[in-house]
Amino acid sequence: MTDISLEELGKADERPRILIVDDIPSNLLAMKILLRDVGADLVVAHSGNEALSLALDMQFALILLDVQMPEMDGFEVASYLKDNPLSAETPIVFLTASNADEINQIHGYMSGAIDFIPKPVNETILISKVLIFLELHQNKNRLVSALREVHRQRQILQATFDAVGDGVIATDRGNRVSWMNPSAQRITEWLADSGCGQDLDEVFPLFSADGMPMNEGLFDPSQNGGLRADEPQTMLRTKAGALLPVTRSASLVRDTEGEMIGGVIVFQDASDAYARQLALIGEAETDPLTGLLNRAGFNKRCQVLLSEQKCDLALLFGDLDLFKPINDAYGHATGDVVLKVIASRLSDCVRTEDIVARWAGDEFAVLMVCNDRSDAEQMARRLIEAVRQPIAVGDHGEEVVVGISLGIALASESSWNQTELLASADRMLYAQKTRRDRLASRIRG
């Protein structure tokens, strides 16, 4: 069959045409009378050459072709009509007085005819067959119009998806990527040529910020298209291996019977929003004076480390000695300077995996990874030595000296319970300060 463009097939609302080919004028007139009410424009041709010329200029729903004609018979005309792209799909019905001849019928079918009507023509048979072919022609044109509209809508959707900044990925029923728009290719760093056909988990692997896989349940309706309000930030691992914050939603695609045939994921680069979120979290969990973690930030990180239980943890909880007299003598502005210097010294003493926080006022907390209590006691000595170094204040070179008292508690000795760990460290701090005060009293006495 010859391929014909949608434009060449015509419109569904066009009035159909029937081409009647016969070299005898009276036959043509009789056919026109018989077919006057079939709802089609009737065009006549007196020869095969005239029929071929008309077929080059007009499209016909049906061709009624006499077999016996001088110069060019119906078989030859039919062969030429089938070579013309505009008439190649047009049904041809032969009008012949020799239809009983099986050889002629085979010859006609091989030439391109799809039916025969014997002469003399029976009006009922002729009209019945013509109406069937006209209905087929109209149904074909309706289908073409529908396909043209589908094509138009598809082009609009294609242009829309190509223009939007959101990434869009379509999958098949096997969860393999079937289509990616340009934004999806840019964000994932997968080109469509290499991404299509791959498993979705390969092209669109999702993780939480702490590295936990998140692709499972992506299309689960109970999970709101894979997006839950209380879930952690979603990170997309790009083809190059980078982690990119994204927001996304996913929906299943079903056929008319409700069977799943694929899915669609729409996602956006959320780097800016994630950066703002981290900044807000940082502000909420950071002490504005010293830049250390505040109590909320410390508690959050402490809870994570305790839940992992990878190795023992030591909490060194302490407050400054001789700090109040500095505030009283020099004012709170100088006191703030001292607190910032102490915070810097504490941070310099610990390792990158350790946590330092300003608990409140002149109280500080250090959470460190350790093997046993001796590691914590060694850290405590280092912190005490760093804190008691003189601190320059004012414009005239004055120096002040403060100390720090520390209480030490181990997670392993506190049942890995955060509340008990803090309480134990606080008790140890109180006992340390009590011993120091008693010693100071005996010295003064």
Side-chain angles (χ1 to χ4, degrees), residues 285-294 343-344 346-347 356-358 364:
E285 297 179 353
T286 301
D287 175 53
L289 176 64
T290 64
L292 299 177
L293 289 175
N294 60 17
S344 177
L346 294 177
S347 297
V356 183
R358 182 186 179 197
F364 293 86

Side-chain angles (χ1 to χ4, degrees), residues 28 45 64 110 129 136 182 340 365 378 419:
L28 292 175
L64 299 174
M110 293 180 63
K129 290 190 176 185
L136 291 173
K340 288 192 285 187
Q378 182 180 356
T419 301

Side-chain angles (χ1 to χ4, degrees), residues 108-413:
Y109 288 132
M110 293 180 63
S111 300
I114 63 172
D115 202 357
F116 283 81
I117 295 179
K119 289 184 178 180
V121 173
N122 181 287
E123 179 180 359
T124 301
I125 294 176
L126 173 67
I127 294 177
S128 177
K129 290 190 176 185
V130 167
L131 290 177
I132 290 174
F133 285 118
L134 288 178
E135 182 178 2
L136 291 173
H137 174 76
Q138 290 172 341
N139 289 339
K140 181 186 72 173
N141 280 352
R142 291 190 188 100
L143 177 60
V144 168
S145 294
L147 291 174
R148 183 186 292 112
E149 179 61 21
V150 169
H151 178 73
R152 187 182 73 85
Q153 293 293 340
R154 182 177 180 181
Q155 291 299 106
I156 293 174
L157 287 175
Q158 180 75 52
T160 301
F161 286 137
D162 287 351
V164 298
D166 293 355
V168 183
I169 293 178
T171 64
D172 60 19
R173 67 176 70 246
N175 210 35
R176 292 179 296 270
V177 175
S178 58
W179 181 80
M180 304 171 67
N181 75 338
S183 292
Q185 297 175 57
R186 173 179 53 80
I187 296 172
T188 65
E189 299 179 351
W190 280 84
L191 296 178
D193 290 344
S194 57
C196 290
Q198 299 285 343
D199 287 341
L200 178 64
D201 292 353
E202 180 73 17
V203 177
F204 195 67
L206 299 178
F207 299 86
S208 63
D210 55 1
M212 298 299 294
M214 296 181 65
N215 278 67
E216 186 175 356
L218 184 62
F219 291 107
D220 186 352
S222 66
Q223 302 295 343
N224 188 28
L227 184 62
R228 302 186 301 276
D230 59 345
E231 74 179 6
Q233 173 62 51
T234 303
M235 310 295 287
L236 167 68
R237 189 179 298 281
T238 67
K239 188 177 184 182
L243 285 176
L244 182 71
V246 294
T247 57
R248 82 277 185 267
S249 60
S251 299
L252 288 174
V253 178
R254 302 182 183 275
D255 61 18
T256 55
E257 297 180 352
E259 292 295 323
M260 190 274 289
I261 59 175
V264 174
I265 305 102
V266 180
F267 57 99
Q268 305 84 28
D269 182 343
S271 298
D272 292 342
Y274 186 52
R276 289 193 296 270
Q277 179 185 1
L278 290 179
L280 291 174
I281 293 174
E283 291 177 4
E285 297 179 353
T286 301
D287 175 53
L289 176 64
T290 64
L292 299 177
L293 289 175
N294 60 17
R295 185 183 302 191
F298 178 85
N299 283 333
K300 181 177 180 180
R301 285 155 181 78
C302 180
Q303 185 177 13
V304 172
L305 291 175
L306 286 171
S307 65
E308 293 174 350
Q309 297 188 21
K310 292 180 178 179
C311 54
D312 208 353
L313 301 171
L315 173 60
L316 288 71
F317 194 70
D319 64 1
L320 299 182
D321 304 324
L322 303 177
F323 179 71
K324 185 176 184 301
I326 294 174
N327 267 341
D328 294 340
Y330 295 95
H332 290 284
T334 299
D336 288 347
V337 172
V338 171
L339 289 173
K340 288 192 285 187
V341 172
I342 297 301
S344 177
R345 290 178 180 179
L346 294 177
S347 297
D348 290 341
C349 287
V350 302
R351 302 159 301 184
T352 54
E353 64 267 28
D354 300 330
I355 299 172
V356 183
R358 182 186 179 197
W359 191 256
D362 62 348
E363 296 177 333
F364 293 86
V366 174
L367 187 67
M368 61 173 290
V369 176
C370 66
N371 295 317
D372 50 39
R373 182 173 289 274
S374 64
D375 290 343
E377 292 173 345
Q378 182 180 356
M379 174 65 79
R381 290 191 292 271
R382 186 158 61 246
L383 295 174
I384 291 170
E385 180 63 25
V387 169
R388 70 183 181 186
Q389 299 303 311
I391 300 173
V393 297
D395 298 327
H396 303 291
E398 299 99 329
E399 290 184 340
V400 297
V401 177
V402 296
I404 188 169
S405 297
L406 294 167
I408 302 173
L410 297 181
S412 59
E413 298 175 357

